[in-house]
Amino acid sequence: MQNWLLYCGRAIVIIMCPVEWCPPNRPSPADYIHLASNLLTALLLLKITQRSPKMLPHSAMQLSIIIFAMGTSMHLVGDSITQRLILSGYQPHLPLRENPIIQNVTPKTLIYSFELVSYYDEGLGHVMWGVPFLLILFLYFTGCFTHSEEERSMPYSAWLLLGPSALFYWCVITEGQIFILFTFTLFAMAAMVVQQRHRGFGLNSNGLFLLSSFSVAMALVVLWVAFLWHDPVLRKRYPGVMYVPRPRAFYTLHILKTHQPHGYPSSQG
């Protein structure tokens, strides 16, 4: 719920207070909401580990949360810069070097700086927050097994939250480009269920909710990929076997019909 409130709140702030209204050399209100989301998510992950029925490795959890905070910080900076580049005509659905504004940059060596920002955001940053995020959830999942038959069902409130939860994980997978990490985590969860079932254990309501959310999210990703399977532009932007287009690229390509460069408001006066 916290993620959805801040995620939707950030989108509303972007609409009500566009980036072009803010000084280009300062964070926008949406950036501050992004920062709050990163901090609160790290705090909630820490609380999740503390509430696990199973004692989790304390040092590993602390290290994972530290790495998660560093990765989300990289993503925040890269995302903020990308928002400002979009105002200047940058098109996320095109490879970086094929963007017209990047091709017109002088001197040409500045392209390496843009590629470095992109690597910190979409490469190293996504790995540094994706791996610890999924690791913490998986370790919490390992403690969600019980002998009690009464605890092996989800309450009505959990069924109501299943759709929003799965949709959030779909956003995390597609926008964060962590499909491979997510797939391995889901397979590890399924293997853990099979192993514990042979020992007479079953998932409690929290474990069922997490596994169900991941499973529905995977189904949504499959539908998303199937829907865009024959898109030639996105195919070129996301080459390879693991073709999972980002929603932002789909938006700038198919929903944002025309994208004219905008001028920045003056940061003085």
Side-chain angles (χ1 to χ4, degrees):
M1 290 180 65
Q2 173 262 327
N3 279 303
W4 268 117
L5 286 174
L6 292 179
Y7 185 84
C8 296
R10 180 167 173 255
I12 293 173
V13 169
I14 290 176
I15 294 173
M16 298 184 63
C17 184
V19 178
E20 56 263 34
W21 292 4
C22 308
N25 58 347
R26 292 292 184 271
S28 68
D31 292 331
Y32 287 112
I33 293 178
H34 196 167
L35 176 62
S37 176
N38 294 345
L39 295 174
L40 289 176
T41 301
L43 177 62
L44 289 178
L45 288 174
L46 178 61
K47 291 297 183 181
I48 284 176
T49 62
Q50 294 174 351
R51 294 195 175 202
S52 173
K54 175 184 176 182
M55 182 63 68
L56 302 178
H58 188 65
S59 298
M61 292 299 95
Q62 287 186 328
L63 181 60
S64 296
I65 291 173
I66 291 172
I67 296 175
F68 173 83
M70 292 180 63
T72 52
S73 298
M74 292 181 186
H75 177 63
L76 166 63
V77 174
D79 191 67
S80 181
I81 293 174
T82 301
Q83 287 293 333
R84 283 150 182 79
L85 287 175
I86 289 175
L87 293 177
S88 300
Y90 179 76
Q91 302 175 48
H93 58 272
L94 295 177
L96 185 112
R97 285 182 174 264
E98 295 184 13
N99 263 268
I101 67 166
I102 302 299
Q103 293 176 343
N104 296 329
V105 164
T106 54
K108 291 298 183 181
T109 52
L110 282 176
I111 294 178
Y112 298 119
S113 299
F114 287 110
E115 289 180 330
L116 180 61
V117 172
S118 177
Y119 173 73
Y120 276 125
D121 177 21
E122 300 184 8
L124 184 61
H126 283 191
V127 171
M128 288 185 66
W129 71 255
V131 171
F133 178 74
L134 294 175
L135 177 62
I136 290 172
L137 292 180
F138 175 74
L139 291 177
Y140 174 80
F141 179 80
T142 61
C144 294
F145 290 88
T146 178
H147 272 301
S148 174
E149 294 288 343
E150 297 179 357
E151 298 180 12
R152 299 184 187 181
S153 61
M154 290 197 305
Y156 181 71
S157 58
W159 286 106
L160 292 177
L161 291 174
L162 180 59
S165 177
L167 190 60
F168 171 74
Y169 286 122
W170 170 83
C171 293
V172 170
I173 299 166
T174 54
E175 194 64 39
Q177 293 291 285
I178 57 170
F179 176 75
I180 296 178
L181 294 174
F182 184 84
T183 302
F184 277 118
T185 304
L186 183 57
F187 283 161
M189 286 178 164
M192 179 67 65
V193 170
V194 174
Q195 179 190 24
Q196 294 294 331
R197 185 173 296 170
H198 288 300
R199 300 173 58 187
F201 289 92
L203 283 173
N204 62 17
S205 58
N206 289 327
L208 285 171
F209 179 76
L210 188 57
L211 182 61
S212 300
S213 297
F214 272 41
S215 301
V216 176
M218 178 63 74
L220 292 176
V221 173
V222 171
L223 292 175
W224 172 255
V225 172
F227 175 67
L228 299 173
W229 186 257
H230 298 291
D231 191 301
V233 177
L234 294 179
R235 266 286 181 182
K236 186 177 181 180
R237 177 66 176 87
Y238 301 98
V241 178
M242 295 300 177
Y243 166 68
V244 182
R246 297 179 70 180
R248 177 188 295 178
F250 173 81
Y251 171 78
T252 59
L253 176 62
H254 294 292
I255 299 178
L256 197 62
K257 299 298 183 182
T258 57
H259 194 96
Q260 300 293 334
H262 293 76
Y264 282 117
S266 174
S267 59
Q268 301 178 354

